[in-house]
Amino acid sequence: MHQTVSAPTGQKKVLCVTGNPCVDRLVWHHGNRETPSRVFYQAGGKGANVARMLAYLGVDTVHLTIWQENLQKYSGRESYRSAPVFVKQPIRVIPHYIDMRTRHTVMEQSDTNAVTPEEVSVFLETFRAQLEKMPSLVIISGKACKGLPEAYPAMVRMAKDRGVPVILDSHSEGLLLGLPEHPDYIKPNREELEMVVGPVPRGEEIPAARKLVELGAGAVLLTDGGKGSACITRDAVETCPAISVPTVDPTGCGDSFVAYFAYGLLQGLPLTRCMQLGAAAGAANAASASIGRVKPRQANRILKSVGLPLMPEFL
């Protein structure tokens, strides 16, 4: 089964990239948004979530993304290191309204960010400079914002040319353009898979995922909510059941899966164990009113609840 990343303890370094960041505005209330019990802002976007959780896990993590003053204000709270590329357009703000009575969340999406050709050039030069520091792994996350899709295949290609493994967790143009550069892993959910291959009947997920392998992916990490996850290559399939929890907000579950899966890879753990860690983190995120903030003790609680081995380094 496909597994490419193994780094000795103390030498792990990951470069996380967010192609379309945001500021998450989390509003907790008890039935009335206008009278919240708590409001919290955080640096958001898929790569920011992954970087945050890898830092919780003790991984030396650098986060590369486009910045503006409104994002910079909240990024200073994070434990990862930042490689900012400043842009002219303010970064989008996404409200999440969390009703603590019903355990239901409403997210209001906003328009994507946009960058100029000059800003794309700076972005790629910054990525190249970070690659020279020889990370153990590159994780490229999220949809590419306007003007940035062509940077995705360039980043995958630069990393692969240096022998650095890549996880590409994108969709739409970012995924389609990045696939021919042979990322080691891609992580679509079911909806993102169908964006590429069309409708997928139940039971046909594995043949559908193998179409993405034919397009260039080394392995497809397919997540499908309560149906669990599967790692699919040309010749093999490894599956992992979902862990059922009461769900508050599914936003960030895929990012949690990626972060803890990547941590397992960096530790040289078997693929089955990497997927278990990812599943536990995804479940912990779903059960939380926060987004992309799963800490090891939370993942360990989920692992314990279903009788799976804990992460002993975080007991």
Side-chain angles (χ1 to χ4, degrees), residues 207-219:
R210 285 199 166 121
K211 293 180 181 179
L212 301 186
V213 175
E214 293 170 4
L215 291 172

Side-chain angles (χ1 to χ4, degrees), residues 90-120:
I91 302 302
R92 63 200 177 120
V93 177
I94 298 183
H96 301 255
Y97 297 100
I98 305 129
D99 190 333
M100 298 308 295
R101 297 180 313 162
T102 62
R103 298 178 68 87
H104 180 66
T105 300
V106 175
M107 179 176 66
E108 294 183 355
Q109 276 287 6
S110 61
D111 290 340
T112 187
N113 302 301
V115 292
T116 66
E118 293 77 15
E119 290 164 347
V120 174

Side-chain angles (χ1 to χ4, degrees), residues 30 47 57 73 97 117 146 177 205 218 277 296-297 303:
H30 291 81
L57 288 159
K73 179 179 179 181
Y97 297 100
K146 293 177 183 176
L177 292 173
E205 292 85 0
L277 296 182
R297 57 182 174 79
L303 290 168

Side-chain angles (χ1 to χ4, degrees), residues 272-292:
T272 300
R273 180 60 173 165
C274 296
M275 296 178 72
Q276 289 173 353
L277 296 182
N285 183 87
S288 170
S290 298
I291 296 171

